[in-house]
Amino acid sequence: MHPSHDAWREPMRSALAEARAALATGDVPIGAVVLDPSGAMIGRGRNVREAAADPTGHAEVVALRAAARSRGEWRLEGCTLVVTLEPCTMCAGAAVLSRVERVVFGAYDAKAGAVGSLWDVVRDRRLNHRPEVVAGVLADESTELLDGFFRAHRTL
């Protein structure tokens, strides 16, 4: 495990709690939190695509919106987005556009990940902002939660 992972374990546990809460609505269990520069949680979110019939209802977007409301502005400079699954292109773009300082994620997403797996939106030098990336924090827990969800849906 990378030494920098230790600092992100507790925030990732909060994101995992959000992910578990998504199960109650039939949504894919992905959770996210946003921390301000002092480490205080200013936004939280879980997938709500099914619950809200919203194609943009990804955990990261929900958490970023909550953090922006909390701060009273859309610029989230100095903040950290912590999410259980590697962000997709939409969510990686939202992280860049909101100016978060870093993106911390758990499990890699080989099929749709846009923070290094399939694409690398957040480190694209053509963009005006490139957040730091910390990958693989509590990845096993995130992967287990997702695998269990999809296993249950395949047997229905």
Side-chain angles (χ1 to χ4, degrees):
M1 179 187 312
H2 194 277
S4 69
H5 284 196
D6 288 343
W8 304 112
R9 292 171 76 84
E10 284 310 309
M12 185 61 76
R13 284 189 180 97
S14 296
L16 282 161
E18 289 295 319
R20 286 184 197 94
L23 291 169
T25 60
D27 278 285
V28 177
I30 300 169
V33 297
V34 177
L35 308 175
D36 74 7
S38 75
M41 190 180 312
I42 60 169
R44 61 179 59 232
R46 64 185 71 118
N47 270 10
V48 295
R49 288 189 311 171
E50 299 299 330
D54 179 359
T56 67
H58 289 206
E60 301 95 322
V61 171
V62 174
L64 290 168
R65 286 176 178 159
R69 279 192 305 274
S70 172
R71 280 190 130 184
E73 67 172 325
W74 63 266
R75 288 176 193 83
L76 298 176
E77 292 163 343
C79 293
T80 300
L81 171 65
V82 180
V83 59
T84 58
L85 181 67
E86 179 183 0
C88 69
T89 52
M90 176 181 69
C91 295
V96 169
L97 293 173
S98 66
R99 311 282 200 284
V100 295
E101 184 173 321
R102 99 186 29 81
V103 174
V104 176
F105 70 87
Y108 284 90
D109 185 352
K111 293 181 180 176
V115 184
S117 289
L118 192 56
W119 295 285
D120 201 350
V121 171
V122 299
R123 289 178 279 219
D124 189 319
R125 295 198 175 277
R126 295 169 293 184
L127 298 175
N128 67 340
H129 179 72
R130 288 182 295 284
E132 172 190 353
V133 174
V134 179
V137 177
L138 299 181
D140 291 344
E141 288 90 333
S142 297
T143 299
E144 185 178 307
L145 189 57
L146 288 161
D147 286 351
F149 173 82
F150 287 113
R151 210 174 16 258
H153 278 73
R154 279 193 294 271
T155 60
L156 294 177

